[in-house]
Amino acid sequence: MLEIRQIPVLEDNYVYLVHEPVEKLTAVVDPAVTDEVMSAAASAGWTITHILNTHHHFDHVGGNEEIRDKTGCTIVGPRADRDRIPGIEIELGDGDLFQFGAATARVFDVPGHTKGHIAYWFEADKALFCGDTLFALGCGRMFEGTPGQFWPSLKKLRDLPDETRVFCAHEYTQANARFALSIDPDNVELTMRSKEIDALRAHGIPTVPSVLAAEKATNPFLRADQPEIAAQLGMEGRDPIDIFAEIRHRKDNF
């Protein structure tokens, strides 16, 4: 039912317009900027009614107040980080349902990248808006959280259905693929996916959204509890949290 338009902004951000056609509602997910968002909405003939924020970083909330001032829209965001979300009116947390016209999003608390990060899952539309928690072949840097928070957050998202489309907020996939191959060089599916990603980027084509089934098979950050990853790292028998922390450390220094 939902119509989703992807807006590339800044250096590598993606902002999303999500249109619900029954009640003619339009949400902007993580508006980093104003002008490109307003232009894309006007081009589609849509009126922005909501902003859905996943976390407080400026490249996700930078357009909040100006877009609200121009449209009168309602700003929705994480209850756990309400003090850092400009203009927040509706606060959401783990297990909440957000009714967006005829569509419904389930909300997950997914701390790790930041302490107050949330994700929105529109089950009927197979659409997950996960900000900077999960990327195609990667995950966000651990700026505020801990491995003990981040790994359970990723497992929550991994538990969603295979056909879920992952609308993450950055085009990092090509670099993520190079790192993933350093962790998991014998993964045939990963090798094939990396080649496909290179071909897409060579033509300026987005690699996002990805499909969760592919992330489960090839994203090392979702596989910290799998024996083959532990073996590659020389960490057989170790707690998955420790393995995740090691993968994140290696990515930070890759």
Side-chain angles (χ1 to χ4, degrees), residues 167-240:
F167 290 92
C168 65
H170 290 277
E171 182 58 70
Y172 291 161
T173 318
Q174 196 167 30
N176 287 344
R178 289 194 293 269
F179 171 73
L181 285 166
S182 77
I183 296 292
D184 196 14
D186 301 325
N187 186 326
V188 175
E189 189 169 343
L190 173 59
T191 300
M192 292 175 58
R193 187 178 177 195
S194 180
K195 292 177 180 176
E196 292 168 357
I197 289 163
D198 287 342
L200 289 171
R201 296 310 295 155
H203 292 89
I205 300 171
T207 64
V208 177
S210 61
V211 178
L212 192 56
E215 299 305 324
K216 293 178 185 182
T218 60
N219 187 332
F221 292 98
L222 293 185
R223 304 178 65 225
D225 56 356
Q226 296 183 6
E228 55 268 36
I229 297 296
Q232 289 284 359
L233 297 175
M235 298 180 70
E236 294 94 332
R238 295 283 296 276
D239 191 299

Side-chain angles (χ1 to χ4, degrees), residues 57-129:
H57 284 158
F58 187 75
D59 63 334
H60 294 256
V61 303
N64 272 25
E65 292 180 313
E66 191 173 358
I67 292 172
R68 181 202 57 196
D69 290 346
K70 290 177 180 292
T71 65
C73 67
T74 299
I75 299 175
V76 182
R79 180 179 301 116
D81 213 3
R82 59 183 178 271
D83 293 337
R84 297 191 289 183
I85 303 296
I88 189 170
E89 297 173 65
I90 296 177
E91 303 171 5
L92 298 174
D94 201 56
D96 286 344
L97 297 178
F98 175 64
Q99 199 64 40
F100 181 59
T104 304
R106 181 174 296 277
V107 175
F108 301 99
D109 281 339
V110 284
H113 177 65
T114 64
K115 291 180 180 178
H117 205 301
I118 61 174
Y120 303 83
W121 177 45
F122 289 90
E123 179 178 7
D125 291 275
K126 303 180 177 64
L128 173 69
F129 297 93

